[in-house]
Amino acid sequence: MRGLRPGLTARRLLPLRFPPRPPGPRLMSGPAAGALERAMDELLRRVVPATPAYELREKTPAPAEGQCVDFVSFYGGLAETAERAELLGRLARGFGVDHGQVAEQSAGVLQLRQQQREAAVLLQAEDRLRYALVPRYRGLFHHISKLDGGVRFLVQLRADLLEAQALKLVEGPDVREMNGVLKGMLSEWFSSGFLNLERVTWHSPCEVLQKISESEAVHPVKSWMDMKRRVGPYRRCYFFSHCSTPGEPLVVLHVALTGDISSNIQAIVKESPPSETEEKSRIAAAIFYSISLTQQGLQGVELGTFLIKRVVKELQREFPHLEVFSSLSPIPGFTKWLLGLLSSQTKEHGRNELFTDLECKEISEIIGGPINETLKLRLSSSEWVQSEKLVRALQAPLMRLCAWYLYGEKHRGYALNPVANFHLQNGAVLWRINWMADMSLKGITSSCSLMANYRYFLEETGPNSTSYLGSKNIKASEQVLSLVAQFQKNSKL
């Protein structure tokens, strides 16, 4: 990744105050809507800088700062989610790449290659083509980034764009392209060399502790005592801030220092007064149990990967003997995937291909009904874990189904589960699947209480990452592979 451009590192990423948003997306209709759309078009024509001719690209003065301020002010005044989506859609569709110029420059490159012209001529033609491929709105984003608070504004703008896409308020290839351009620019500005690693302790500023507590997306903080435990003995909490705004968390990582690889999250996040002393001899493993992004506009920027790598180095400096690094990770989406399988099998004449005959008989007797339909109803709530018999009966089949979900279910050749994909990209090994590992309501309803360990063997993370990203090979332990083999033997999907 490339670094920040000169002059940008001194800019403050100040939060911009947007008007409060209404409960849901809404775009006004009638004459008012027409007036707003005309105002949007007039604004964009005025503030989006025209692309200079190639020969004048370094001699054309930048647009007046006021034009960028006008865009920021206009955008901030749009209180409705749908209005912002409309403006972003018009920017993406009307101020992107000049396709005519791209076609013309591409033809020129092909002609020069056929003529076998000298390298300097061909390289200049290719540079012209690259210049033509830059969307016009990129210039606007570039100049906004130089304003005080400009980069923070662009982070929020991308968060709005992602939300609008999720709500299907704005769609299409032009919008996806603009999202990619913004992501690329933010990746440059937030590259690892410009991020500060900061540790959180109970003596950190109150506002930092508050932000850490509010941003915890994996295992919500219940109280100040809970927060005190998470930053106390046998616990570490780190975050990245940008070099121009130390103390403002961008992504947060929680670590438990334990005697072995943890298999239950409640043992880590339970609410109780922390002990006052920390004995290094009792620490043999570092468990990454939560990583949360505080700025949704930075989705896809490799902050989490860099943070784990930096924290490992920090922990090794503090504990030179520490060699075991592992996550204890949730498995979001497993329950939804499993319920989908049960539904599809119910529709196909009640057939069952997920459980063995003995399992079907035992589970049916416990739940008192047809296995697919009745079990689906049970798993749709959290009450099933209150039956010890049902918990015992479901352990073997759900363990092998979960192993297959993590190891065998793919999206474009990579792990379907986003948490698995994140750790596997980092070079971790799918190490262990844990039964009854998260007994919180969220854990039961999203993953049937299961959690996974992804283990980081430091000398192998590089080759593992290359193998996964290049050949889509998942490195897994014997326990996981054994469960996968059981699934393939007992299921007929």
Side-chain angles (χ1 to χ4, degrees), residues 294-365:
T294 67
Q295 304 290 335
Q296 294 307 305
L298 295 176
Q299 285 185 32
V301 179
E302 291 186 84
L303 298 178
T305 298
F306 293 142
L307 181 56
I308 288 177
K309 291 179 179 179
R310 291 272 288 274
V311 166
V312 166
K313 292 180 180 179
E314 186 71 17
L315 290 172
Q316 285 183 317
R317 279 195 289 269
E318 185 177 4
F319 305 101
H321 68 283
L322 192 60
E323 296 181 351
V324 178
F325 298 91
S326 173
S327 78
L328 179 60
S329 301
I331 311 174
F334 172 64
T335 301
K336 182 179 179 180
W337 174 80
L338 178 57
L339 294 178
L341 288 183
L342 292 171
S343 294
S344 65
Q345 298 213 342
T346 299
K347 292 177 182 178
E348 297 180 22
H349 310 293
R351 69 187 180 91
N352 173 70
E353 295 183 348
L354 301 180
F355 308 95
T356 66
D357 292 340
L358 287 175
E359 289 169 346
C360 283
K361 181 180 178 182
E362 182 182 8
I363 295 171
S364 294
E365 289 176 353

Side-chain angles (χ1 to χ4, degrees), residues 272-287:
S272 62
S275 59
E276 296 298 327
T277 58
E278 187 176 272
E279 299 178 23
K280 291 190 176 183
S281 60
R282 296 177 58 187
I283 298 172
I287 309 300

Side-chain angles (χ1 to χ4, degrees), residues 137-207:
Y137 51 69
R138 195 184 192 283
L140 174 65
F141 297 154
H142 169 75
H143 295 299
I144 287 176
S145 73
K146 298 181 180 181
L147 300 175
D148 282 344
V151 174
R152 170 56 60 84
F153 170 81
L154 293 174
V155 171
Q156 181 60 57
L157 184 143
R158 182 167 182 254
D160 292 342
L161 181 60
L162 291 171
E163 180 186 15
Q165 288 180 286
L167 295 172
K168 299 190 182 301
L169 296 173
V170 61
E171 299 179 275
D174 294 318
V175 173
R176 292 193 295 272
E177 173 68 13
M178 188 167 76
N179 177 47
V181 169
L182 263 174
K183 175 185 171 184
M185 297 177 80
L186 293 170
S187 294
E188 293 182 9
W189 300 330
F190 290 88
S191 61
S192 61
F194 296 92
L195 298 172
N196 298 320
L197 179 67
E198 302 190 40
R199 180 183 168 188
V200 183
T201 71
W202 188 240
H203 302 291
S204 296
C206 184
E207 57 270 22

Side-chain angles (χ1 to χ4, degrees), residues 314-458:
E314 186 71 17
L315 290 172
Q316 285 183 317
R317 279 195 289 269
E318 185 177 4
F319 305 101
H321 68 283
L322 192 60
E323 296 181 351
V324 178
F325 298 91
S326 173
S327 78
L328 179 60
S329 301
I331 311 174
F334 172 64
T335 301
K336 182 179 179 180
W337 174 80
L338 178 57
L339 294 178
L341 288 183
L342 292 171
S343 294
S344 65
Q345 298 213 342
T346 299
K347 292 177 182 178
E348 297 180 22
H349 310 293
R351 69 187 180 91
N352 173 70
E353 295 183 348
L354 301 180
F355 308 95
T356 66
D357 292 340
L358 287 175
E359 289 169 346
C360 283
K361 181 180 178 182
E362 182 182 8
I363 295 171
S364 294
E365 289 176 353
I366 295 171
I367 62 179
I371 185 168
N372 289 342
E373 190 65 32
T374 310
L375 184 58
K376 180 185 173 184
L377 293 174
R378 292 290 187 93
L379 294 178
S380 297
S381 74
S382 61
E383 296 179 0
W384 66 273
V385 296
Q386 298 176 11
S387 169
E388 293 184 9
K389 289 183 178 180
L390 185 56
V391 168
R392 285 197 301 269
L394 288 176
Q395 180 173 357
L398 262 57
M399 285 282 284
R400 66 173 184 262
L401 282 162
C402 186
W404 178 255
Y405 170 68
L406 294 175
Y407 184 86
E409 289 293 316
K410 304 293 179 62
H411 174 66
R412 297 178 179 175
Y414 299 105
L416 174 66
N417 183 266
V419 178
N421 186 53
F422 170 77
H423 288 291
L424 293 170
Q425 284 188 58
N426 292 344
V429 175
L430 178 51
W431 184 251
R432 189 172 66 195
I433 298 172
N434 304 293
W435 180 245
M436 294 288 110
D438 185 358
M439 296 301 290
S440 68
L441 178 62
K442 182 179 180 181
I444 296 169
T445 55
S446 67
S447 61
C448 295
S449 83
L450 290 153
M451 298 189 78
N453 297 117
Y454 299 90
R455 187 166 176 182
Y456 286 78
F457 293 93
L458 301 183

